[in-house]
Amino acid sequence: MRAASRFTAQSPCKRQLTWSKKFLADTMLLALEIASSLCNIGFVVGMINQRIWAWPMGLMGCLAAAVMFESSQLHAEAFLNVLYAALAIYGWVTWQGNNQAMMVVHRAQRKVWWGLAAIIMTLALGWAMKTQTSNPLPFVDAGIFSLSVIATLWQIGKRLDNWHLWIVINAISVWLCINRGLYVYAGYSAVLFAMSFSGLRSWRSVHEAQSD
């Protein structure tokens, strides 16, 4: 019995090494979480002021989040952030190619079609999450993703209505994070919720000035 316990018990050095690895992994995840949050807040600040540097900020935020989620074995969330990163690259290239300083703020058109696209995307992605992942609220997450894609495309095209969507998205995100016990992310989403109103006011003033 003593021989068996001697071989199965961890030595102090091995326990220390295991603890050190866990501490390092947790520290790296926290650093990624902070970096992603700061970059995404920077993205919103830049977007409110219609600055092209917002897109690389958003890109870095999405990539940091993707690595963070993948490290936490949250593969679906990591994949969604890779898609967000692709949208950031598309927005960056589009604004550069169209000389974004000359692009005017418009209202979104064909909202019914956009709405149908959001419903179809939500149902398809929600079903995939429900059947392939352990996500407890697959259709809520899918809805947030679908609306976020549309809101980002409207940002790329400088559609004023993108801020209406972000207000809804961030409000739902606050509830979702509280529901999951992610209070830090709930606070972060609340900050983005408030900033969305600032973005709406800023872009609306530009739109009204263009109409005069």
Side-chain angles (χ1 to χ4, degrees), residues 119-140:
I119 291 172
I120 293 172
M121 201 184 322
T122 298
L123 292 176
L125 184 59
W127 178 84
M129 283 184 170
K130 183 177 181 179
T131 56
Q132 302 298 323
T133 73
S134 58
N135 191 317
L137 296 169
F139 290 98
V140 174

Side-chain angles (χ1 to χ4, degrees), residues 105-185:
V105 175
H106 299 283
R107 297 303 301 264
Q109 304 296 322
R110 300 175 180 173
K111 294 180 182 178
V112 173
W113 292 108
W114 284 108
L116 288 174
I119 291 172
I120 293 172
M121 201 184 322
T122 298
L123 292 176
L125 184 59
W127 178 84
M129 283 184 170
K130 183 177 181 179
T131 56
Q132 302 298 323
T133 73
S134 58
N135 191 317
L137 296 169
F139 290 98
V140 174
D141 276 340
I144 290 176
F145 173 76
S146 302
L147 291 178
S148 297
V149 168
I150 293 174
T152 303
L153 290 174
W154 283 358
Q155 282 181 327
I156 294 171
K158 287 201 171 182
R159 300 297 188 262
L160 173 64
D161 310 78
N162 84 86
W163 294 109
H164 295 121
L165 288 185
W166 285 121
I167 289 171
V168 173
I169 292 164
N170 290 317
I172 297 173
S173 296
V174 170
W175 167 80
L176 187 63
C177 289
I178 292 175
N179 178 265
R180 292 178 174 174
L182 303 173
Y183 300 112
V184 173
Y185 254 67

Side-chain angles (χ1 to χ4, degrees), residues 62-78:
C62 292
L63 291 178
V67 174
M68 178 185 69
F69 285 126
E70 183 63 26
S71 299
S72 301
Q73 303 298 310
L74 298 172
H75 306 299
E77 286 81 356

Side-chain angles (χ1 to χ4, degrees), residues 9 19 22 27 38 45 73 82 94 98 116 118 134 148 157 159 164 172 179-180 200-201 204:
W19 182 88
K22 185 178 184 305
T27 301
L38 291 177
V45 171
Q73 303 298 310
V82 171
T94 300
N98 291 338
L116 288 174
S134 58
S148 297
R159 300 297 188 262
H164 295 121
I172 297 173
N179 178 265
R180 292 178 174 174
L200 178 60
R201 286 194 299 270
R204 179 180 287 160

Side-chain angles (χ1 to χ4, degrees), residues 2 4 15 24 33 47 50 52 74 76 91 102 113 120 127 131 146 177-178 181 208 211:
R2 277 195 297 235
R15 285 198 299 270
L24 179 60
E33 182 178 356
M47 195 56 57
Q50 302 184 54
I52 196 169
L74 298 172
M102 301 300 294
W113 292 108
I120 293 172
W127 178 84
T131 56
S146 302
C177 289
I178 292 175
E208 291 174 350
S211 302

Side-chain angles (χ1 to χ4, degrees), residues 1-9:
M1 293 291 293
R2 277 195 297 235
S5 62
R6 186 178 70 182
F7 285 108
T8 56

